[in-house]
Amino acid sequence: MLRLFAPSRGIITGHRVLRAVPAARAGGARFYSSQQQKSKHFYPLLLLGGLAIGVTYYNLNSTSKPPRASIDPTGPLFRDSDIDVIFVLGGPGSGKGTQCAKLVKNYDFVHLSAGDLLRAEQAKPNSEYGSLIAHYIKEGLIVPQEITINLLKNAIVEQYTKNKKTKFLIDGFPRKMDQAVSFEDLIVKSKLTLYFECPEEVMLHRLLERGKTSGRADDNLESIKKRFRTFLETSMPVVDYFDKQGRVVKVNCNQPVEEVYNKVVSAFAEKGVTK
Ligand SMILES: Nc1ncnc2c1ncn2[C@@H]1O[C@H](COP(=O)(O)OP(=O)(O)OP(=O)(O)O)[C@@H](O)[C@H]1O
Ligand SMILES: O=c1ccn([C@@H]2O[C@H](COP(=O)(O)O)[C@@H](O)[C@H]2O)c(=O)[nH]1
């Protein structure tokens, strides 16, 4: 078992992955000069030392090495160099999911939609959070961060350990300042936020159209109005927070899907995000 997270930091988390192998210690062993006879422990210790160096070298170079938390339980789960996370934000119906689906085809990204993860959790027959999630989604409110961050963390760790994936598009997250701060504190610092700008009336039209077939409990006029309000009051401050740090690229999404996509590709290229 590896870590997870200190209860005092308010996050319930899952499993650990691997533990770093401590370097073998030669505690108490004596080493003699070449003139003196070698201790009977010399060769076994030499072997152990070589093994420790080999294991350390393997851990440093293997892509399946454990996340950072196995080594330093006080920092984020991953080092900045382990994985790349790009947040994808924008109002409800701005086209985040549509663009992520296109990006996944051309880049080596894993697409994780926070909304999809919450809906999947809600659909589990034995989920202790099912009815809570359903309520928050219908009301357009933000589900308590512990639940969402834990779902994201589990999905990232699974893709990283099982499939050796290191590039993640996290769609529709973080939607609230506490999530933004906790995620970067506990999981990894994000590389970039892709933000889709879109007039509200365009998003409303798209969502009402989608609602004819989506089956989503929140694609109705009453829920949509609540989602817009939450977006302006609670989620926009997150975009502003990253923007002040120069970590946001903004794309106008009130254009045909293909044109929006081309703009995303150009914006990514300018920021050094390549295929
Ligand atoms: N550029 C576009 N032009 C026209 N329609 C679009 C465009 N992008 C997406 N759509 C349509 O708008 C609807 C909403 O798109 P999408 O599901 O990608 O938005 P979203 O931002 O992920 O929404 P949500 O936050 O509610 O999950 C979909 O029916 C999609 O087909
Ligand atoms: O971080 C998040 C992301 C989403 N939610 C809730 O889910 C719905 C639907 O999200 P979509 O991205 O539109 O699929 C959203 O309105 C929130 O209620 C959340 O709580 N936290």
Side-chain angles (χ1 to χ4, degrees):
M1 288 290 281
L2 218 132
R3 88 184 226 181
L4 259 267
F5 281 113
S8 60
R9 297 172 87 181
I11 296 289
I12 319 144
T13 54
H15 51 279
R16 301 180 93 179
V17 186
L18 285 171
R19 179 168 280 284
V21 178
R25 285 178 186 232
R30 281 175 183 250
F31 292 90
Y32 297 92
S33 75
S34 53
Q35 280 84 19
Q36 291 170 309
Q37 196 185 3
K38 286 187 175 65
S39 147
K40 65 177 177 177
H41 299 305
F42 179 78
Y43 288 111
L45 283 172
L46 195 67
L47 195 66
L48 273 179
L51 196 62
I53 290 167
V55 168
T56 306
Y57 182 81
Y58 173 80
N59 280 339
L60 286 172
N61 290 285
S62 165
T63 51
S64 63
K65 66 181 182 288
R68 171 200 177 110
S70 61
I71 299 156
D72 173 10
T74 62
L77 187 59
F78 293 94
R79 299 176 200 86
D80 289 357
S81 55
D82 287 336
I83 61 172
D84 288 341
V85 162
I86 295 180
F87 293 139
V88 182
L89 293 176
S94 57
K96 302 181 292 297
T98 303
Q99 293 299 325
C100 285
K102 289 181 74 65
L103 285 164
V104 162
K105 284 188 186 150
N106 297 313
Y107 292 74
D108 193 23
F109 284 122
V110 174
H111 173 207
L112 297 176
S113 155
D116 285 350
L117 288 170
L118 287 166
R119 282 183 285 272
E121 177 65 27
Q122 181 201 324
K124 285 184 191 163
N126 298 325
S127 171
E128 59 178 306
Y129 304 119
S131 52
L132 180 148
I133 293 171
H135 171 76
Y136 274 77
I137 287 182
K138 191 148 198 303
E139 292 303 313
L141 296 169
I142 307 304
V143 171
Q145 62 162 342
E146 288 79 1
I147 297 172
T148 315
I149 292 180
N150 198 38
L151 291 171
L152 283 169
K153 185 213 60 143
N154 289 342
I156 293 170
V157 168
E158 183 174 349
Q159 290 288 343
Y160 179 82
T161 53
K162 285 196 192 154
N163 302 332
K164 296 190 170 38
K165 293 290 187 180
T166 59
K167 293 175 186 220
F168 298 88
L169 286 176
I170 303 197
D171 164 6
F173 176 95
R175 298 273 249 272
K176 198 171 175 181
M177 272 310 298
D178 64 346
Q179 292 178 330
V181 172
S182 296
F183 184 92
E184 294 209 319
D185 193 26
L186 297 170
I187 312 292
V188 73
K189 186 175 176 186
S190 62
K191 292 282 177 294
L192 200 64
T193 292
L194 171 61
Y195 172 61
F196 289 117
E197 293 175 302
C198 202
E200 201 168 283
E201 65 270 20
V202 173
M203 297 192 289
L204 175 64
H205 176 73
R206 288 181 185 174
L207 290 176
L208 289 175
E209 278 299 308
R210 190 178 71 181
K212 290 177 185 169
T213 55
S214 69
R216 278 180 54 158
D218 57 351
D219 275 352
N220 57 77
L221 191 56
E222 200 183 328
S223 294
I224 291 169
K225 283 183 185 164
K226 291 175 179 169
R227 292 161 69 195
F228 284 162
R229 186 177 174 154
T230 300
F231 177 72
L232 282 178
E233 292 176 357
T234 311
S235 306
M236 267 318 284
V238 175
V239 179
D240 296 339
Y241 167 75
F242 288 130
D243 201 17
K244 281 189 189 124
Q245 300 170 26
R247 294 202 278 150
V248 175
V249 289
K250 297 184 179 181
V251 171
N252 171 13
C253 64
N254 187 15
Q255 302 168 87
V257 170
E258 210 53 43
E259 285 181 33
V260 178
Y261 180 71
N262 291 337
K263 291 214 165 112
V264 172
V265 171
S266 305
F268 272 10
E270 273 175 35
K271 291 283 182 185
V273 180
T274 49
K275 290 183 186 175

